[in-house]
Amino acid sequence: MSELRTSSIETRGKPGLKRYAMVIDLRRCIGCDACMTACKAEFDVPLGVFRTWVPYKVVGVYPTVRKHFMPRLCNHCDDPPCVRSCPVGATYKVEDGGFVLQHYDRCIGCKACMASCPYNARFMLPKSRTYTDITHVVDKCTFCHHRVTQGLAPACVVTCIGRARIFGDINDPSSEVSKLVSTLPTQVLRPEEGTKPHVFYIGVDRNLSEPSRAIYNPLDVLEEDRRAFNKNHKG
Amino acid sequence: MGDFNIFHHMPWSSTYSIYFFVIGISSALFFFSMLSWFRQEFEPLRKSAFYVSFALMVVGGLLLIVDLSQPLRFLNMLNPSYLNFTSPLAWGGMNLLSFGAVSAAYYWMMRKNDETDSRRLAVLGSILALGLPVYTGFDLTVHQNRPVWNTPLMPILFVAMSLLSGAAVASFLAGTHEKLLAMLRRFMLWSAGAVGVMLVSLLGTTAYGGVGQELTFMFMTTGTLGTIFIGVGMLLGTAAPIALLLAPFGKQQQGMMIAAVLILVGGMALRYSILVGGQIVQTYF
Ligand code: SF4
Ligand code: SF4
């Protein structure tokens, strides 16, 4: 279960430090999007952007088909490229816990972190919001830092109807996430990027986990939507 | 991916490619102004190249600032306690600022007719000018997840593109000075050759790369982006000027002017397509 540490920022397996992680058991996910909704409510996440999202793909040929879901979020990488690429230290990693967070008042909006995240986990907040005054800077999932530091689980984990999302300290061998990652075959997304993601999937489908497979047979209707989206959302 | 409501856009918009273009020209023009202290044929360029370089540096800096979502916070880049030196952007910001300061001092010394200090500042400024295309290349290279960008070629390619576009602009400033035009023609030819060779090898490694690279190759060689990259950037903006400059007509001023226009159009197209090309595939993830 130990990992090869290649950079001093990595805290997996470091004694005395917590390293939070999430396990997503895709055998249990029913694609209800409750996690997306809970996250939207927890953080007043604006329209058009998501801290967590649940893409799906219909795999197979009728009648032998299955709808695969793969909830996504920031992987709170142990060696996060977003942190090293931010010129002003506005994105940083919390050593005890491994959360990758934002200094909203420091972010200049250069989008270097967005360019360097292999998972599209980051987005630009709109210029104005109704209830929250954090605007026009980069945002992302925080692993619910504010809840976890008070002993609560992240909002998406609490709300998950199938108990597909499990959260805990992977540096603690007795935690549920440690046990799952130790005893079951798990995958992380794009491991070849060297980011050491800390969201582990059980039962992932490669149609969803391989970054480029969506390009093979794009659905016409999706392409139309994509064009409309791109018109309204410029980098 | 399949879910109808989630799409991702490209983080770096085309403003960055315009920045790459103007800052590349600015740095090469400063270099030519520096050469004027050491090579007689470049003397007519000393002031004119410097003025254009300075103006383009200001335009480039403004473009960078305007493209930030919090433009006024560019001041954060000047705060030593914020700067993160694992980011090429931090180095780039410092490079640009120090290039601006040295340029201003260079202007001052030239006005004072202080030849010794002007020369010194010209050399120092040129080293900093070289840093500009190098860091823009690194800006792209460091993103290990981006096909096309993540190759050691990028910084060198940006230096060659900078010299190429800079020599094209300089040829408009050279007037009828034959020796200077001949030198600039050589600069254009060699740097266009270098750009061409690098682009071919970039295409080769992209085509034979992994899935992400292969698909990026597909996007960059077909459709609109293919027209911009291959058609305008490589053929019209690199291969055609080389052919033109090698022909007898290319040795005349008119021929050089036409080649220079093609080089500039191509230079913009190349920077745009390299910037966008590296980002397309991931928008589908
Ligand atoms: S998933 Fe992206 S945003 Fe999250 S830590 Fe990793 S690189 Fe950074
Ligand atoms: S957009 Fe903000 S958080 Fe991201 S790299 Fe730039 S300054 Fe840092």
Side-chain angles (χ1 to χ4, degrees), chain A residues 50 54 56 72 83-88 104 106-110 115-118 120 135-136 193 211-212 226, chain B residues 1-3 6-7 11-12 16 68-70 73 76 82 84 86-87 143-146 215 282-285:
Chain A
F50 297 85
V54 187
Y56 70 81
R72 295 264 300 274
V83 170
R84 68 170 181 248
S85 69
C86 176
V88 293
Y104 297 108
R106 199 189 276 198
C107 171
I108 60 176
C110 63
S116 67
C117 171
N120 295 327
T135 54
H136 226 203
E193 304 299 348
S212 336
R226 163 185 282 274
Chain B
M1 270 272 249
D3 209 353
I6 318 290
F7 297 100
W12 280 345
Y16 265 59
L68 300 176
S69 72
Q70 299 284 349
R73 290 196 196 163
N76 287 0
Y82 284 180
N84 171 22
T86 54
S87 163
H143 301 297
Q144 84 284 9
N145 53 318
R146 304 276 176 184
L215 289 168
Q282 201 179 305
T283 63
Y284 285 83
F285 183 42

Side-chain angles (χ1 to χ4, degrees), chain A residues 4-121:
Chain A
L4 179 67
R5 276 204 294 274
T6 54
S7 141
S8 58
I9 198 173
E10 293 173 30
T11 48
R12 172 89 176 267
K14 263 198 184 167
L17 291 179
K18 291 193 176 68
R19 173 60 260 206
Y20 286 108
M22 190 179 287
V23 173
I24 304 185
D25 189 342
L26 297 176
R27 299 167 305 179
R28 291 162 160 256
C29 176
I30 59 165
C32 67
D33 291 353
C35 49
M36 278 164 79
T37 316
C39 178
K40 283 265 179 187
E42 186 78 20
F43 294 98
D44 182 28
V45 182
L47 276 179
V49 289
F50 297 85
R51 285 177 175 221
T52 184
W53 64 105
V54 187
Y56 70 81
K57 187 126 187 171
V58 178
V59 182
V61 181
Y62 181 84
T64 322
V65 290
R66 181 166 195 252
K67 205 169 178 181
H68 280 290
F69 304 99
M70 190 180 76
R72 295 264 300 274
L73 66 159
C74 166
N75 288 276
H76 292 269
C77 306
D78 218 15
D79 191 358
C82 53
V83 170
R84 68 170 181 248
S85 69
C86 176
V88 293
T91 176
Y92 64 102
K93 189 176 163 201
V94 179
E95 197 184 16
D96 192 16
F99 305 90
V100 176
L101 302 177
Q102 294 287 103
H103 284 302
Y104 297 108
D105 51 351
R106 199 189 276 198
C107 171
I108 60 176
C110 63
K111 290 162 270 183
C113 53
M114 291 171 69
S116 67
C117 171
Y119 308 100
N120 295 327

Side-chain angles (χ1 to χ4, degrees), chain A residues 133-176:
Chain A
D133 57 7
I134 302 169
T135 54
H136 226 203
V137 287
V138 166
D139 202 4
K140 64 181 270 298
C141 156
T142 59
F143 252 9
C144 273
H145 176 257
H146 66 299
R147 293 174 61 98
V148 174
T149 47
Q150 293 183 50
L152 300 168
C156 56
V157 173
V158 173
T159 203
C160 179
I161 192 169
R163 222 174 161 272
R165 292 191 186 223
I166 299 109
F167 186 83
D169 174 13
I170 203 163
N171 279 357
D172 169 7
S174 63
S175 70
E176 193 177 356

